[in-house]
Amino acid sequence: MARGLTTVAVLLLWTSARPVFAGPSAEWRYCYAGSEQSRRFYVSQPFSSSGSPDAVERQWIAWLGRQPVRYETTGCPRGSDRAAVEASIASAARYNAGQGRGTVELDWQSGP
């Protein structure tokens, strides 16, 4: 009986600790850049990323710096899955259209 309880305890401990050892899980994001001056709202395609939010945004800003794009604001929101991110992009595009800004999709891929 004690052996059975020990096995159950080890199994429960392993199951609860497993997520710690599994490493970071990927999350879904998109990045945007807004420009009041050019009346544009630039967006990336949805992507899965396990990188830190700061690293992803730094990659986005560095890439934007090499494009003929003017912007004043940036961000890389996340969602629980691709559908949530696509819904967020659609909502942001509608909002920006209401503010007189056109949405422009940019062909950017997040790095590893």
Side-chain angles (χ1 to χ4, degrees), residues 63-108:
W63 182 82
L64 284 172
R66 297 186 301 272
Q67 308 306 309
V69 173
R70 297 177 79 171
Y71 65 92
E72 293 88 45
T73 62
T74 64
C76 295
R78 63 181 175 217
S80 58
D81 55 26
R82 183 182 182 101
V85 168
E86 288 173 344
S88 181
I89 292 170
S91 177
R94 282 190 304 274
Y95 172 81
N96 279 280
Q99 301 298 310
R101 292 182 286 271
T103 298
V104 178
E105 291 183 15
L106 299 176
D107 188 23
W108 176 72

